[in-house]
Amino acid sequence: MSGILYGTGTGPGEAELLTLKAVRLIRSCDMIAVPVSDSTLKEPCIWEEGMPYLDRCAAYQIVLPEVPEIRKKPVLCLPMPMMKEKEELKRIHDAGAKKVEEYLDEGMNIAFLTLGDPSIYSTYLYIHKRVQKDGYQAVIIPGIPSFCAAAAALNLGLAENKEEIHILPASYGIEEGLKLSGTKILMKTGKKMPYVKETVKASNDRFWMVENCGMENEKIYENPDDVPEKSSYYSLIVIKEGS
């Protein structure tokens, strides 16, 4: 009987924000899978002592204090490079899914660890869709989304009454999105940071940015001028209409 793949959301960064369900499934699974953006990893592999990938995997490090027994589980490292070349990404994701399926065929249940929630801009979805298409069982285990944790860190409500919420992947263009009414949540701002800062300064909108939410080096900015041009990948911006 084939195993089950669990796309497991680990929340935004604070170990205590792991759900009870995520902890239970991670403990019960036979194998852990993690995404690796490090360009030195070219093909899927089982982690071995001396490899740097787990130290750099935020999702794995979030889980470790609450579920230390994962140290004893085999970890499948899956290349997930940050690139936009569609054909190369397709090859990489296809290879990752096939490797996952090999272990599912052995009857192993696999917990794929992913930051935040697996349904929101998650690398896990590339594997999830392929595995499901090939007839295997894949289940999404929700996690607390980064923007909900950021709102809590800001002690801020994201929407009330008829207010709209718009979640924008900023690295893919935000010019039109910033014109929308209601609350705008910008994820993966990256190179768009200068544009965002200037746009907000020219409006009456309120601005907040949470960097590394829930992590030891969390920082909160409420003035666009204070935001560094190069902020962490784990940075999230909230923009609300009005002064």
Side-chain angles (χ1 to χ4, degrees), residues 30-167:
D30 307 296
M31 172 179 280
I32 304 297
V34 297
V36 175
S37 60
D38 192 318
S39 60
T40 63
L41 184 65
K42 303 298 184 182
E43 300 294 337
C45 72
I46 296 296
W47 181 84
E48 295 180 358
E49 197 70 40
M51 290 181 175
Y53 308 127
L54 295 188
D55 290 338
R56 300 173 186 172
C57 178
Y60 186 90
Q61 294 302 320
I62 289 168
V63 172
L64 195 54
E66 299 300 317
V67 194
E69 55 266 41
I70 63 170
R71 291 184 185 275
K72 299 178 181 179
K73 296 179 184 288
V75 180
L76 176 61
C77 297
L78 298 173
M80 292 286 175
M82 296 180 185
M83 62 168 67
K84 294 182 180 180
E85 290 81 357
K86 291 183 178 180
E87 288 303 313
E88 180 62 10
L89 280 174
K90 181 180 181 302
R91 184 197 68 77
I92 291 169
H93 297 152
D94 286 347
K98 291 301 180 187
K99 182 58 68 174
V100 167
E101 290 170 4
E102 288 180 17
Y103 291 106
L104 294 177
D105 284 336
E106 294 179 13
M108 300 181 77
N109 291 332
I110 303 173
F112 184 116
L113 307 183
T114 183
L115 277 174
D117 183 278
S119 67
I120 304 170
Y121 300 124
S122 169
T123 53
Y124 165 72
L125 292 175
Y126 298 120
I127 303 299
H128 178 88
K129 290 186 290 186
R130 286 166 167 79
V131 167
Q132 273 198 321
K133 185 178 179 181
D134 290 341
Y136 295 86
Q137 189 174 357
V139 178
I140 290 176
I141 307 301
I144 294 176
S146 58
F147 50 85
C148 291
L154 295 168
N155 209 23
L156 175 73
L158 291 178
E160 298 177 51
N161 298 320
K162 294 182 180 180
E163 290 180 336
E164 298 176 348
I165 298 178
H166 304 280
I167 303 170

Side-chain angles (χ1 to χ4, degrees), residues 82 120-123 126 146 168-174 185-193 231-237:
M82 296 180 185
I120 304 170
Y121 300 124
S122 169
T123 53
Y126 298 120
S146 58
L168 309 174
S171 58
Y172 288 89
I174 52 173
I185 296 167
L186 277 56
M187 304 178 71
K188 305 179 181 180
T189 309
K191 296 178 181 179
K192 293 287 184 177
M193 184 65 74
S231 55
S232 164
Y233 176 75
Y234 304 116
S235 296
L236 183 145
I237 292 174

Side-chain angles (χ1 to χ4, degrees), residues 7-25:
T8 308
T10 63
E14 186 178 345
E16 287 186 336
L17 294 182
L18 278 167
T19 67
L20 294 174
K21 188 171 186 178
V23 169
R24 175 177 62 81
L25 283 168

